[in-house]
Amino acid sequence: MPVPVPQQRSVPAAETSHGDLTLLVIEDDPAGTTITVPELSAAAGTRVRIRTARNLTEAARLLTDDVDCILLDLALPLTGGGAGPGTPTADAGTSGTGTGTADSGSLPEPVSERAGELAALTHVLGIAPQHAVLALTAQDDTELAAEAVRVGAQDYLFRGELDARVLSRAIRYAVERKRADTAQHQLTESRLRAQENARLERGLLPTPLLDGSGLSFAARYRPGRSRALLGGDFYDVVRTPDGTVHAMIGDVCGHGPDEAALGVELRIAWRALTLAGLCGDELLSTLQQVLEHERQSEEIFATLCTVDIAPDGRRAGLCLAGHPAPLLARHGLPARLLPYQDGGPALGLLPRARWPRRQVELGGAWSLMMYTDGLIEGRVGTGGSERLGQDGMVAMVNSRLEQGLAGEELLEAAVAEVRELNGGELTDDVAVLLLGRDPERIRRWGGSAPRSHPASVDRPPSPPARAAGAQRPPL
């Protein structure tokens, strides 16, 4: 029995409007139709353009992005449509968001006893996962109609009730339901990605292991990618049983998800090697081996800065692998860069490189600021032709110190000022951490500092800065 669908009529471009819909009818005998396009348009209030296909092969040719809805006769045979008996067809789950569809990781749906009658529908859902689909079946065959919706169709119609008003309503309903299903599917995927990013972020931004050290800790992290939670920068701080505090900050070249994953691997490897007793050149040589085995390309490298602070907190060992030197501020004195002339190359550049360890005197009360190059490579000046650089960063930090800022407030103010000087968001990742020693604070806490907390991403603005004091505080 031929399907009573509207007669096909070409619609001039001048007659179309923003609300026009295109319906693709897949039926083996579109002749003898009873509903005309003017009647359908009058009933719907929206012009519907009709395309007809006699088989699945012709349907695939007519299926373009401007098609809004597909009306499929479930009695359509697969033969002549590019598939035949025994030919594999797309799984119904590829319809993406239809009712009852399965995610690629889900268990397979049980095979329906009427799966053969839905072969054409399954094929159409496979080649048109983003289109709304209406299933057309015999009068009162509610079981098959319900099964079609469960497989992935947005709605069903019976041949006997197919008039202009029912068809126009069904088209609008199917299109809107498909849009809602697609939006829900995208929202679910977005939530899953956010959960995955959050799990990776917990590895990228670790909780420092500083209990019993008496040192303070603060950190700030901002990924360079738009709407990203993580990037290629990484850091960690741990205290070994002998009382030495080890700190590290690094930067994998690039700032995408692959670089972030590699940064997490390097951070975990550094923590494991440090707790195992490695330090200095031996540790960096082993980290380079990890990088060489895990990177996706030989062009990938990573810069690194490591500091090991003696148990008395008055001196430290410094190793630089192509990384900017830390900033040291002693109580009451301007901040200055630590020596960087004896640094080694970035990890992954030279197969048998060496990284000398330099001894640094810290003093009694101090703060040490470690950072990635995203903090110093922002643009400044008229037209943004110059970069902030290390000298500009030192001047900026000293200016904030004179205002009385310290700790988290100082980090937030520094990152905010760098972003403001750049004229907008920074393109590179930024990680900054502060380690500090204050003997007076240690005495107040009975020999140990309060528990430190991991850094957060994109904190809200901090309270207004305190008025400048007479004496410069440490970082």
Side-chain angles (χ1 to χ4, degrees):
M1 179 177 181
V3 179
V5 296
Q7 294 179 349
Q8 186 173 2
R9 182 176 74 93
S10 61
V11 180
E15 295 180 20
T16 63
S17 65
H18 181 71
D20 287 357
L21 296 175
T22 299
L23 176 69
L24 175 61
V25 179
I26 308 177
E27 194 270 331
D28 60 354
D29 186 12
T33 57
T34 60
I35 304 175
T36 64
V37 170
E39 292 173 344
L40 184 61
S41 298
T46 300
R47 186 178 302 276
V48 178
R49 292 170 292 189
I50 305 299
R51 296 179 187 174
T52 57
R54 297 175 182 272
N55 51 55
L56 295 177
T57 300
E58 187 176 359
R61 187 176 67 253
L62 297 176
L63 186 62
T64 55
D65 291 339
D66 60 333
V67 171
D68 298 287
C69 186
I70 299 172
L71 178 63
L72 171 68
D73 182 9
L74 296 182
L76 184 75
L78 283 180
T79 55
T87 301
T89 59
D91 182 75
T94 57
S95 61
T97 57
T99 303
T101 57
D103 182 85
S104 58
S106 303
L107 294 174
E109 294 284 349
V111 179
S112 169
E113 296 179 357
R114 310 190 65 173
E117 299 178 76
L118 298 174
L121 174 61
T122 302
H123 183 84
V124 169
L125 293 174
I127 65 174
Q130 304 302 322
H131 294 77
V133 177
L134 287 171
L136 189 67
T137 185
Q139 182 69 25
D140 297 333
D141 194 348
T142 56
E143 181 181 344
L144 182 62
E147 185 73 6
V149 173
R150 190 195 68 81
V151 167
Q154 272 60 59
D155 201 358
Y156 61 86
L157 293 170
F158 295 128
R159 291 192 183 93
E161 67 178 19
L162 190 64
D163 58 26
R165 187 173 299 279
V166 171
L167 179 59
S168 64
R169 184 179 68 246
I171 293 173
R172 293 197 307 272
Y173 171 79
V175 170
E176 292 303 322
R177 181 177 180 182
K178 185 65 178 180
R179 290 172 181 171
D181 289 345
T182 301
Q184 182 62 39
H185 181 69
Q186 293 173 345
L187 178 60
T188 300
E189 288 187 338
S190 177
R191 288 173 175 170
L192 290 175
R193 284 194 299 268
Q195 292 173 2
E196 292 173 356
N197 284 342
R199 286 193 293 269
L200 186 54
E201 181 186 327
R202 285 194 293 271
L204 186 68
L205 304 178
T207 300
L209 303 180
L210 284 174
D211 290 349
S213 69
L215 301 184
S216 62
F217 173 85
R220 187 76 167 86
Y221 184 82
R222 179 188 293 270
R225 291 182 298 145
S226 175
R227 300 177 62 185
L229 294 175
L230 45 102
D233 293 0
F234 56 98
Y235 65 84
D236 204 351
V237 182
V238 298
R239 180 175 181 263
T240 49
D242 63 356
T244 303
V245 171
H246 303 262
M248 171 271 293
I249 192 167
D251 181 5
V252 178
C253 65
H255 44 269
D258 293 335
E259 289 77 7
L262 181 57
V264 171
E265 292 182 81
L266 292 176
R267 185 198 68 75
I268 295 174
W270 177 88
R271 175 174 283 202
L273 294 171
T274 299
L275 294 176
L278 274 68
C279 184
D281 181 79
E282 184 180 11
L283 186 149
L284 292 176
S285 297
T286 309
L287 277 182
Q288 175 158 278
Q289 295 180 38
V290 174
L291 172 66
E292 291 171 347
H293 284 89
E294 297 298 330
R295 63 185 177 183
Q296 295 185 344
S297 167
E298 293 185 357
E299 298 177 353
I300 300 297
F301 64 90
T303 66
L304 203 69
C305 170
T306 67
V307 174
D308 54 280
I309 303 170
D312 63 5
R314 302 184 66 89
R315 63 190 185 280
L318 170 66
C319 287
L320 295 176
H323 200 87
L327 193 65
L328 175 66
R330 293 188 176 94
H331 191 68
L333 298 175
R336 62 178 180 84
L337 293 173
L338 291 181
Y340 52 85
Q341 291 81 4
D342 296 335
L347 303 181
L349 293 183
L350 300 178
R352 290 175 293 276
R354 288 294 177 262
W355 296 271
R357 179 178 177 273
R358 173 187 284 266
Q359 189 76 13
V360 178
E361 293 297 327
L362 300 177
W366 50 266
S367 287
L368 187 68
M369 175 174 150
M370 304 170 69
Y371 55 93
T372 57
D373 58 6
L375 187 69
I376 60 177
E377 291 188 347
R379 300 287 181 176
V380 297
T382 305
S385 58
E386 302 177 1
R387 295 190 181 274
L388 178 64
Q390 287 181 292
D391 292 339
M393 180 199 64
V394 172
M396 177 189 67
V397 169
N398 280 324
S399 174
R400 294 295 182 176
L401 288 174
E402 291 175 356
Q403 297 175 12
L405 297 185
E408 289 280 358
E409 290 183 347
L410 175 65
L411 294 188
E412 292 183 9
V415 174
E417 183 172 352
V418 170
R419 178 181 177 277
E420 182 180 353
L421 292 172
N422 190 61
E425 290 293 342
L426 300 168
T427 57
D428 199 3
D429 308 321
V430 175
V432 193
L433 64 87
L434 282 176
L435 285 170
R437 182 177 188 272
D438 184 354
E440 185 65 29
R441 178 171 175 265
I442 294 175
R443 283 193 293 270
R444 290 197 307 269
W445 286 92
S448 64
R451 183 181 300 273
S452 302
H453 298 281
S456 61
V457 179
D458 289 333
R459 289 177 177 270
S462 60
R466 300 188 301 269
Q471 186 179 26
R472 179 196 304 272
L475 293 177

